[in-house]
Amino acid sequence: MVAAFSCARRVEGGYASIKLVDDLLADSLSYLQDLADHSGKASGSIALIGDPFRCLEISELLMTADDFDNVDGRPVPDGLPDFAGETIMPILEFSNPFYSGETLPKDSLSFREAAVRSALFALEQSCLVSPYDPDSTFDKSSPKALLLCSGDLARFGIADIQDLFNRLDCRLPILSSPDTAYSFSRECYRLFREKNLFTHLVAYPKAKLYMTVPAGSGRPGSALIEFSDRYVLENFRDTMQVLAPKTMESYVQSQYQP
């Protein structure tokens, strides 16, 4: 199987897979298959990747949405959050240059590779305690759905993420659209009812935040860690409170829970 995955890039229907996916499957097939096997289950979290600002906006929608009757799914509010009992998991990619405000080509190979790495961060079952200590880790929930919170990801990155998932037989649902009017909360709710992915726990939604930062100790690439104020610019912390007050309130509360 490894030999097959390490062959030249595949071309199907005009789509050419990128070398990064081939290399990942050749080098880490069993590890990635294990991540794929744990994803897409009702016990998992709703993972958000893409532009950090957009991730927070959509996280807040998921935390507060009440568009449906939770008993029968009718499109009427019932006074209970639509995602009651769910864990919302934004991954804020501060180390990703494509979301740093720089003008970079989103249809480039580099962006496609970054999209695949973002999806892998969502699949991970652990994160580092600190970017400077690669041997110390926290457990992290696997995703039950992956939301691509960027129009550019929907246009230029989703095909490569789907290519990776298809070749791993990863059944993790992906929600994505380049249309700014697309409702992630409504589509996610419908998806969960269709596939029976709700936890059915009687509790308010909670947020579990992660972030990427440059890997420490002279190591290349990025490190996935739990969200920490110490690695965030002060003006962005202020923005977070404005964009996503419920998300941030939940994050703060979780810091004091055993």
Side-chain angles (χ1 to χ4, degrees), residues 99 106 111 150-158:
Y99 305 124
K106 302 300 193 299
F111 182 81
S150 161
D152 291 322
L153 274 179
R155 295 181 186 92
F156 307 117
I158 189 171

Side-chain angles (χ1 to χ4, degrees), residues 42-43 46 70 81-86 144 188-201:
S43 58
I46 305 172
N70 287 25
D82 290 337
F83 296 95
E86 303 299 334
K144 67 167 72 178
C188 192
Y189 186 88
R190 293 188 179 103
L191 171 74
F192 280 19
R193 285 195 70 90
E194 175 188 341
K195 296 186 174 294
N196 194 25
L197 286 174
F198 282 108
T199 63
H200 301 296
L201 296 176

Side-chain angles (χ1 to χ4, degrees), residues 39-65:
S39 68
K41 302 182 185 301
S43 58
S45 301
I46 305 172
L48 285 65
I49 62 173
D51 178 80
F53 292 95
R54 187 68 176 138
C55 282
L56 287 173
E57 290 176 343
I58 295 172
S59 173
E60 195 69 5
L61 288 173
L62 298 175
M63 292 286 291
T64 60

Side-chain angles (χ1 to χ4, degrees), residues 210-221:
Y210 294 88
M211 63 190 295
T212 66
V213 294
S217 305
R219 292 176 290 117

Side-chain angles (χ1 to χ4, degrees), residues 53-244:
F53 292 95
R54 187 68 176 138
C55 282
L56 287 173
E57 290 176 343
I58 295 172
S59 173
E60 195 69 5
L61 288 173
L62 298 175
M63 292 286 291
T64 60
D66 179 18
D67 297 316
F68 297 91
D69 185 306
N70 287 25
V71 175
D72 57 24
R74 288 180 302 130
V76 293
D78 63 355
L80 184 68
D82 290 337
F83 296 95
E86 303 299 334
T87 299
I88 317 302
M89 189 170 67
I91 299 174
L92 308 179
E93 294 191 72
F94 295 114
S95 63
N96 190 328
F98 291 98
Y99 305 124
S100 65
E102 299 180 49
T103 303
L104 298 172
K106 302 300 193 299
D107 58 349
S108 65
L109 175 62
S110 295
F111 182 81
R112 294 174 64 186
E113 291 176 341
V116 170
R117 294 190 178 97
S118 297
L120 290 177
F121 281 133
L123 290 180
E124 286 288 357
Q125 294 178 272
S126 65
C127 68
L128 296 183
V129 173
S130 162
Y132 305 103
D133 186 358
D135 298 318
S136 182
T137 61
F138 287 129
D139 289 337
K140 171 187 166 293
S141 174
S142 295
K144 67 167 72 178
L146 179 63
L147 278 55
L148 307 189
C149 305
S150 161
D152 291 322
L153 274 179
R155 295 181 186 92
F156 307 117
I158 189 171
D160 298 295
I161 295 172
Q162 289 175 327
D163 179 43
L164 174 66
F165 285 8
N166 290 340
R167 295 164 71 180
L168 289 172
D169 195 26
C170 179
R171 306 302 176 87
L172 179 67
I174 301 174
L175 293 180
S176 172
S177 175
D179 185 354
T180 56
Y182 180 83
S183 175
F184 279 94
S185 62
R186 286 178 172 270
E187 294 305 318
C188 192
Y189 186 88
R190 293 188 179 103
L191 171 74
F192 280 19
R193 285 195 70 90
E194 175 188 341
K195 296 186 174 294
N196 194 25
L197 286 174
F198 282 108
T199 63
H200 301 296
L201 296 176
V202 181
Y204 283 105
K206 64 179 179 180
K208 185 69 175 177
L209 274 72
Y210 294 88
M211 63 190 295
T212 66
V213 294
S217 305
R219 292 176 290 117
S222 300
L224 178 68
I225 62 172
E226 286 191 342
F227 179 83
S228 172
D229 286 342
R230 67 182 293 187
Y231 298 107
V232 182
L233 295 176
E234 184 175 351
N235 62 342
F236 191 85
R237 289 200 299 270
D238 296 339
T239 300
M240 293 179 73
Q241 293 292 345
V242 174
L243 279 180

